[in-house]
Amino acid sequence: MRRHRNVKIVATLGPASSTKEVIRSLFDAGADVFRLNMSHGSHDDHRARYDTIREIEAETGRPIAILADLQGPKLRVGQFLAGAHDLEEGDAFRFDLSPEPGDSHRVQLPHPEIFAALIEGSELLVNDGKIRLTVQRCGPDFADCTVTVGGTISDRKGVNVPDVVLPLAALSEKDRADLEFACQLGVDWLALSFVQRAEDVEEAKVLAQGRAAVLSKIEKPAAVRAFDEILKASDGIMVARGDLGVELPVHSVPPIQKRLVRLCRSAAKPVIVATQMLESMIDSPMPTRAEVSDVANAIYEGADAVMLSAESAAGSYPVDAVRTMDNVARSVEADPNYRSIIEAARKASLSSVPDAIVTAAREIAETTDVAAICAFTQSGKTVSLVARERPRVPILALSPIEAVTRRMVLTWGTHCVITPRLSRFKEAVVNGTRAAREYGFADESRKVVVMAGVPFNVPGTTNILRIAPCDDRLIFATDPE
């Protein structure tokens, strides 16, 4: 039994972490959620990893969440006659639709949607922003630019267009096929790339048909500008700082991260902070001090989860990277300042009966000696509301629905348990206290807060709370029926 940790760890699987032995080691080291990156590998590769995760889940008796990350449309230049060319500041350079191989003066950009959106003064970034060009003149099939930051441009390098909303759907044909494959496979979360507007999220949710929750990756300036609407449409958020740092000034990313994390918490929706968190551990068994501080800051901000990408997918030290992240998280959560920072960011939200119930549960946990909050849920909403409060005690998230239980794994503070389908509140009390004892959160001398909705098995009915002893004899003595 792993010691309880509030913030969750997402580990990406890949060539360095495809065997059952390594995946089990990642789980034992602290990974809660496994990410399947649909940008790499075949469907057969992802199916094999999925099956392995579910085997480990069955062996450990712990629900494990699986996130499929869709690639999104990739904007790339064409090919060059000589393979690469050097561009210098002040050079004139043209992008066009011609399939002819490029040279030092032009190259194909096979995306008419980009030309349709460009205006004079727009900026084009190539190769993760290493090369920057400003549009001087443009039309439906070309853009004449001036190089503002030079560098070597080569075949198939990626292109970013930071200052316009592109008339491109977030889902390419590949993404649609990957989405359907992932949903049929049984993944719990879908991460949607290239989100620019709420409509992108709504389209993905229509295709998912409730088979998986949809998490929006915030990686474009347009998504930051439209964040309130995107958050409403999404089940969760990923702050994908890599592309954000390309398309926006790097110094603007930390305050954006902090603001988005806080807004997600207010909306009771899980948020992952991702990209380059322990980047040096791809090749080194030790992280840099700056990387450790980066992970710690995301946890102090109240993120639900922190994520490893290449560190666990393709690095030389995948298990060490997860263990490092786990150690950082435990160190932060043991810091008295952590509680004061987390609680200072709490906003009162008493617009409904469930809001009032979860606030009461948190206040009871803070003022009495209860061991845990046991929250029964049909949809996961009650548990999300409890997690928004960031209580000082663990949250036992209990549901009879396996898919709901797995999705809740991503939520801060949760220990997820599949329960029988219940018909009375007393059954909830008994199941909650037994779970608290079974998973080591309480013994018979302790009490827990139990919350549920009556009538049972109806989503959105959280309306009852009880402080219950963990000794079954005391429960039946006070409530023999």
Side-chain angles (χ1 to χ4, degrees), residues 377-408:
T377 184
Q378 288 289 307
S379 65
K381 181 63 176 175
T382 298
V383 170
S384 296
L385 292 175
V386 177
R388 181 184 64 192
E389 295 293 310
R390 299 294 191 261
R392 297 183 184 183
V393 298
I395 303 165
L396 269 73
L398 303 112
S399 178
I401 304 170
E402 186 175 56
V404 171
T405 309
R406 287 169 172 164
R407 288 178 196 176
M408 292 189 298

Side-chain angles (χ1 to χ4, degrees), residues 43 65 97 111 206 274 283 306 394 414 475:
H43 283 184
L97 294 176
H111 302 286
V206 168
D283 302 307
V306 287
T414 56
I475 296 173

Side-chain angles (χ1 to χ4, degrees), residues 366-478:
E366 289 179 354
T367 56
T368 64
D369 185 30
V370 300
I373 295 173
C374 302
F376 287 81
T377 184
Q378 288 289 307
S379 65
K381 181 63 176 175
T382 298
V383 170
S384 296
L385 292 175
V386 177
R388 181 184 64 192
E389 295 293 310
R390 299 294 191 261
R392 297 183 184 183
V393 298
I395 303 165
L396 269 73
L398 303 112
S399 178
I401 304 170
E402 186 175 56
V404 171
T405 309
R406 287 169 172 164
R407 288 178 196 176
M408 292 189 298
V409 169
L410 183 58
T411 301
W412 185 98
T414 56
H415 181 94
C416 300
V417 180
I418 299 173
T419 68
R421 193 166 288 275
L422 309 175
S423 59
R424 296 192 304 156
F425 183 66
K426 181 179 176 182
E427 293 175 344
V429 173
V430 172
N431 273 272
T433 56
R434 286 178 179 172
R437 296 198 307 270
E438 179 181 351
Y439 292 103
F441 293 105
D443 58 29
E444 289 189 341
S445 68
R446 303 293 301 279
K447 294 181 179 180
V448 295
V449 174
V450 181
M451 52 194 301
V454 178
F456 270 93
N457 305 317
V458 178
T461 59
T462 302
N463 57 12
I464 191 166
L465 177 152
R466 177 175 172 180
I467 304 170
C470 288
D471 186 336
D472 286 355
R473 293 167 298 180
L474 296 176
I475 296 173
F476 286 101
T478 57

Side-chain angles (χ1 to χ4, degrees), residues 160-373:
N160 294 79
V161 190
D163 47 8
V164 296
V165 176
L166 295 174
L168 277 171
L171 293 164
S172 65
E173 287 306 310
K174 169 180 164 52
D175 294 322
R176 289 170 176 270
D178 288 344
L179 184 152
E180 183 58 30
F181 164 76
C183 287
Q184 289 187 13
L185 198 58
V187 304
D188 309 295
W189 287 89
L190 292 165
L192 185 62
S193 300
F194 210 85
V195 175
Q196 298 184 97
R197 54 184 83 80
E199 289 80 4
D200 295 331
V201 188
E202 290 159 0
E203 179 185 6
K205 295 187 83 169
V206 168
L207 293 172
Q209 296 178 329
R211 293 173 292 175
V214 175
L215 182 147
S216 295
K217 294 169 68 175
I218 307 302
E219 52 191 356
K220 298 188 70 61
V224 176
R225 292 192 294 269
F227 185 73
D228 290 346
E229 293 75 22
I230 290 170
L231 179 58
K232 287 177 186 175
S234 306
D235 300 307
I237 294 292
M238 181 190 295
V239 185
R241 306 171 308 169
D243 281 325
L244 268 183
V246 170
E247 299 204 3
L248 289 167
V250 290
H251 57 264
S252 70
V253 175
I256 289 173
Q257 172 181 315
K258 194 174 292 289
R259 179 170 67 87
L260 300 191
V261 168
R262 189 165 292 195
L263 288 170
C264 289
R265 179 179 168 190
S266 295
K269 294 184 178 182
V271 55
I272 304 170
V273 174
T275 321
Q276 299 175 329
M277 300 212 82
L278 294 175
E279 185 87 350
S280 68
M281 291 196 74
I282 295 172
D283 302 307
S284 168
M286 288 292 292
T288 67
R289 307 303 183 267
E291 288 167 341
V292 169
S293 293
D294 181 40
V295 174
N297 283 335
I299 297 168
Y300 278 115
E301 288 165 6
D304 290 81
V306 287
M307 191 174 99
L308 295 166
S309 299
E311 302 96 328
S312 58
S316 300
Y317 305 94
V319 177
D320 293 294
V322 171
R323 191 174 293 118
T324 296
M325 203 165 252
D326 178 73
N327 288 337
V328 173
R330 293 185 187 282
S331 178
V332 169
E333 291 179 3
D335 176 12
N337 286 325
Y338 171 71
R339 287 306 323 176
S340 61
I341 293 168
I342 287 291
E343 290 170 10
R346 182 187 293 137
K347 286 187 176 180
S349 181
L350 296 175
S351 58
S352 67
V353 170
D355 285 329
I357 292 285
V358 299
T359 300
R362 187 259 305 160
E363 290 178 346
I364 290 167
E366 289 179 354
T367 56
T368 64
D369 185 30
V370 300
I373 295 173

